[in-house]
Structure formats: C-alpha cells, structure tokens
Amino acid sequence: MSTLVTGIAELVSNDPEAGDGTPLGLLTDAALVVDDGRIAWLGPAKRAPAADTRRDLGGRAVLPGFVDSHTHLVFGGERSAEFAARMAGERYDGGGIAATVRATRDADDETLRARLHALVGEMRAQGTTTVEVKSGYGLTVADEARALRLAREVTEETTFLGGHVLPPEYAGRVDEYLALVTGPMLTACAPHARWVDVFCEPASPHAFDADASRAILVAGQAAGLGLRVHGNQLAEGPGVRLAVELGAASVDHCTFLDGPDVAALAEGDTVATLLPGVEFATRQPYPDARRLLDAGATVALATDCNPGSCFTSSMPFCLALAVREMGMTPAEAVWAATSGAAAALRRTDVGHLGVGARADLAVLDAPSHRYLAYRPGVPLTSALDLPGGSR
Ligand code: NIG
Ligand code: FE
C-alpha cells in the first residue's frame, strides 16, 4: 500500500541533487510517497502523484530517522551514584564497568530484555529508527552470547564487545583473557554479531592496549565481522590510527586527537563517531568536531547510551550538544546523526530519504531541522509510523 505524505514544511533528504544542493538536500513545501516501506517519490507538494492513502503533517519538518550507531543497551543495574560522584569531582576511567558486568551476569533474560526493549522504545519516541547494540557487560562466553542474542531481537546491527574491559577474575592474566575472547567467545558470538569492537585505551587500567586491541580486531575480522573501535576517549593514544590502519568502519569517541590522528581520519575511510553525551556525563572536554570537519573527515554523532559514561537515549540531546559545544552547525549535526552515522554502519539504505531508501522518517514538531538545537530539551521529534511500516 502506498502513502502520500504531505504538509512537509521542510524535507531533509540528505541528497543534495534532490534538494537545494547543500549536503542536507533540503526541499520546502514538499511531499513524499512511501510504497512497501521504501521511498518511492519525493518532490514539491504541488507535483505530488496520487497514492492509496494520504497523511498530512500540517507544516512540520521531516528528516531521515536518526541512526544511533553506538549503544550498549543490554545491561543490568544502574550507576547513578557513580554519575553523582563524577559531578562532585571524580574522574571517569572505565572502572565502573565491572559493577555493570556483575549486575548483568546476575540478571535473568527477562530483566535484560525488558530494559533493552524499553530503551529502544525511548529512542524511537525521539526519532531514532536504526540502532546498533553492543555486548560487553557479560564477558563470559555464555553471557556475551546471551547479550548478542537479545540484541538481535531489536536490530541487525549487533556488535561483539568481549574486549570491553579485562574482567576482574582475569586480573593479571590479560593473555589468557585474550585467548578466550579471540577463541571460544568469538566462536560463540560471531553468529549473532555483525561487528567486533574493542575498548582500545592504554590510559585506562581496565581497557586494552594497541597490541591486545589489534589481536581482538584481527580475530574478529577473520571470523567475518566488520570492525569498530572505542578509541581516544580518555587520552591521546593508538586507537584512531589502529582503526584507520585496519579499515574499521568507525572509531568512536575521538575526544583526544593529535595532528596525525586527524590526518589519518581525513585520508582513510573510517568514520569519526563523536559521542557528546559522554563528555556531558563525565565532565571531560568535548571533542573538536570543527577540526575534523575542516580536515575533511566524515563525522557521525551517536548517543553511546549505557549505564556508566552516558545514560541518554536521546539523539536530539546529543545533536544540540554538538552544535553548542563542538563547533558544528545545525545542518552539520543533523547530517552527522543521519548520513554520517549510516556511513559509520556502512549502510546505504538508511540515513537519507532518496528514492529506494527505507522509509524511516523522523517528524519534527517544528518547521525546520534548526529547531533541534534551537529548542534543546523539548520533545519535538518522533518516528513516523505509516501503514506497512518500513522494511
Ligand atoms: O563507550 N568506553 C567504554 N565503554 C563505554 C562505557 C561503559 C560504561 O562506563 O559502562 C563507553 O563510554
Ligand atoms: Fe561505548
């Protein structure tokens, strides 16, 4: 069944030629036709073709649904006391992850599933239509595989993060843990995962150095997984260059970068995914998006929703932070949260609204994408449900 969507004051297509020639490909007074879950037509409302049904949005803006390319949604417990301690001056070094690992191992499937589905519901209510979900709070063969099986219930974009931190029972035995992660744990997890990720952060006593990170990524790649890296979150270090060298789809955080890191991101095809909610919730300096954009790197924005370093499910919140604190224009931030994040997942069917793309639509209760940062904290965005949904 086809649906003609009208009353679109501004359509963000992310297709420069379909719109005004800018990266957002803006159309004003626009309409689009959705057929069988895909965009079948878009253009000026006065030239709209007929369709089986009609939906009038009454002068709102329509954007591609947000692509949240970095989350950790399978976890037990919560760490609000750790957040409060940070706001009173404590530093974040990843040490709290062990508490979530304990709570996750102790939780039953139903508890984890209920939390996961609730968070995905929150995201959808704020305009997110594609979400990546990582494991990383199980850190045993059975608990990592369980997390990925649950994650697969909500998304194809599942990421094996056995290399999140060294679990306490392996203290002083990193080589043995690496043998587990690159051996039996990878074998059990790869069938449920599209990606492998590692927390490459020599500045954290809990995370992995360059050699250990390389071993995990190379093993994951040999098992058929695409690569992602948590890098340069707490200090300058090897994460970004390792990610670019190995051809990772994305390196995430990028808070502390030196000149060669920026040059590598500008030259390689690894997306720099920035997670400003983390800097908000850890009181670290924000990453310098302006420097990356001016160098020619592809920048994505995502939430990193997790119980420790950043417990927001809101892409609009992250987008507003990126505009206010990281030197991005509203247009650049919208592009990064849609097209940029789709690139970080190597997806061409989402993150834009060209003909043939998935009809994943975010509707803004405002006339322009600029309102996302102009009216921060106001619940303006939601995903649009249409007959037949998107596929
Ligand atoms: O992306 N950096 C490592 N992992 C998560 C934090 C996880 C946690 O603190 O529970 C992150 O920030
Ligand atoms: Fe993360």
Side-chain angles (χ1 to χ4, degrees):
M1 179 161 63
S2 61
T3 304
L4 171 63
V5 183
T6 59
I8 304 176
E10 179 189 82
L11 178 62
V12 175
S13 70
N14 285 344
D15 178 352
E17 272 138 49
D20 63 352
T22 68
L24 289 191
L26 297 175
L27 292 94
T28 45
D29 299 322
L32 57 81
V33 175
V34 175
D35 195 358
D36 201 21
R38 299 272 169 173
I39 305 293
W41 181 89
L42 74 163
K46 54 180 183 297
R47 294 219 292 272
D52 300 329
T53 57
R54 230 183 141 103
R55 178 83 172 260
D56 185 2
L57 298 178
R60 294 180 167 83
V62 169
L63 302 83
F66 297 123
V67 177
D68 194 345
S69 59
H70 183 142
T71 81
H72 308 245
L73 304 184
V74 185
F75 63 88
E78 59 93 26
R79 286 159 45 206
S80 59
E82 182 189 315
F83 170 78
R86 279 201 300 277
M87 295 306 110
E90 290 285 317
R91 261 185 63 242
Y92 176 84
D93 73 351
I97 294 170
T100 301
V101 170
R102 274 194 303 279
T104 305
R105 289 175 180 173
D106 286 348
D108 61 21
D109 289 11
E110 267 324 300
T111 305
L112 296 178
R113 180 180 284 122
R115 168 66 92 20
L116 168 66
H117 285 257
L119 288 169
V120 170
E122 274 183 23
M123 289 175 162
R124 191 165 171 85
Q126 297 172 91
T128 296
T129 50
T130 301
V131 62
E132 178 264 16
V133 177
K134 301 175 198 298
S135 67
Y137 292 122
L139 309 185
T140 67
V141 173
D143 287 305
E144 285 294 296
R146 171 171 79 144
L148 289 164
R149 273 199 312 274
L150 290 167
R152 264 282 151 90
E153 293 179 7
V154 300
T155 184
E156 290 295 299
E157 301 293 346
T158 53
T159 300
F160 169 47
L161 183 57
H164 197 183
V165 290
L166 187 67
E169 66 273 19
Y170 279 87
R173 298 188 292 139
V174 67
D175 287 347
E176 283 175 54
Y177 187 64
L178 285 178
L180 180 72
V181 172
T182 58
M185 196 185 278
L186 177 61
T187 303
C189 290
H192 313 293
R194 177 169 184 224
W195 305 98
V196 61
D197 193 346
V198 64
F199 187 9
C200 177
E201 194 74 56
S204 165
H206 313 284
F208 297 93
D209 66 13
D211 288 345
S213 299
R214 180 187 292 274
I216 290 170
L217 294 169
V218 167
Q221 198 163 40
L225 304 181
L227 307 185
R228 329 187 62 73
V229 176
H230 281 72
N232 301 58
Q233 175 183 2
L234 303 176
E236 288 180 10
V240 165
R241 268 168 316 219
L242 182 66
V244 176
E245 180 203 321
L246 295 180
S250 181
V251 57
D252 299 35
H253 289 287
C254 297
T255 309
F256 295 95
L257 301 182
D258 62 16
D261 292 328
V262 175
L265 287 165
E267 281 154 29
D269 35 71
T270 300
V271 172
T273 299
L274 309 182
L275 309 165
V278 173
E279 280 70 39
F280 175 88
T282 57
R283 274 231 174 104
Q284 283 203 158
Y286 286 90
D288 189 348
R290 191 74 262 144
R291 184 182 180 204
L292 286 165
L293 290 167
D294 290 347
T298 303
V299 170
L301 289 170
T303 63
D304 198 7
C305 184
N306 75 78
S309 65
C310 176
F311 198 12
T312 184
S313 55
S314 173
M315 287 292 280
F317 173 64
C318 295
L319 203 140
L321 286 179
V323 171
R324 176 62 182 83
E325 303 289 348
M326 288 159 46
M328 299 180 88
T329 66
E332 286 168 337
V334 166
W335 192 91
T338 52
S339 253
L345 293 173
R346 302 235 159 119
R347 292 276 295 265
T348 56
D349 59 333
V350 298
H352 69 106
L353 296 176
V355 170
R358 284 171 59 112
D360 290 344
L361 307 180
V363 179
L364 192 57
D365 195 7
S368 158
H369 69 279
R370 290 187 294 269
Y371 277 61
L372 283 162
Y374 177 46
R375 302 206 65 212
V378 181
L380 297 175
T381 324
S382 59
L384 183 65
D385 290 313
L386 291 172
S390 68
R391 60 189 59 136

